[in-house]
Amino acid sequence: MNPAPPIIVSTHDARRLERLLEDAGREHDAVAEALEAELARAEIRPPAAMPPDTVTMNSQVLCVDETSGAEHLLRLVYPWDADASAGQVSVLAPVGAALLGLSAGQAIDWPLPSGRTTRLRVLRVVDQPEAHGRLD
């Protein structure tokens, strides 16, 4: 496994995600625990200081699973907005937690529930709320 790349998370997203994890209670699953670890290692910036090519909550991102070669156009959302058929992936899903805070060109190795690991690479951030002054 490669070392995890540096990630950037907005103060807005960090606050909301920390509340989400607190509300989940002490019975975190492996993805919630991994997300908590990602938030702990992230560089936290105000929304206005977020680079436009960084994956934030409600960003739409084109990524590739380097293990399978499959490209995916996904929007990173909160669990209550998740809809796999519409390409809306929850931040509490393995792929969602892996994408948070990555920038275009970065890749991360991420464990999947099946026990295998995948390598996700961000090809492009198609839409990011902070880049347009929106905080969704």
Side-chain angles (χ1 to χ4, degrees), residues 74-117:
L74 304 171
R75 185 168 300 276
L76 183 60
V77 299
Y78 292 94
W80 49 86
D81 292 326
D83 180 353
S85 65
Q88 297 187 159
V89 63
S90 169
V91 70
L92 290 180
V95 170
L99 289 172
L100 181 70
L102 291 179
S103 297
Q106 286 183 313
I108 190 167
D109 293 319
W110 200 261
L112 298 175
S114 65
R116 71 179 185 89
T117 298

Side-chain angles (χ1 to χ4, degrees), residues 13-124:
D13 288 349
R15 275 194 302 269
R16 289 184 77 183
L17 291 168
E18 286 166 358
R19 274 197 308 272
L20 175 68
L21 291 169
E22 285 173 12
D23 291 346
R26 293 283 170 232
E27 296 181 18
H28 287 312
D29 66 9
V31 177
E33 289 177 11
L35 178 60
E36 202 165 44
E38 289 294 276
L39 289 172
R41 73 178 192 87
E43 176 186 339
I44 307 295
R45 292 187 186 178
M50 291 298 294
D53 68 343
T54 298
V55 181
T56 63
M57 290 305 300
N58 296 302
S59 288
Q60 187 175 42
V61 59
L62 180 63
C63 62
V64 63
D65 179 335
E66 292 187 341
T67 306
S68 69
E71 287 188 9
H72 305 278
L73 183 62
L74 304 171
R75 185 168 300 276
L76 183 60
V77 299
Y78 292 94
W80 49 86
D81 292 326
D83 180 353
S85 65
Q88 297 187 159
V89 63
S90 169
V91 70
L92 290 180
V95 170
L99 289 172
L100 181 70
L102 291 179
S103 297
Q106 286 183 313
I108 190 167
D109 293 319
W110 200 261
L112 298 175
S114 65
R116 71 179 185 89
T117 298
T118 192
R119 184 166 177 79
L120 293 173
R121 179 173 302 279
V122 174
L123 299 175
R124 183 167 53 100

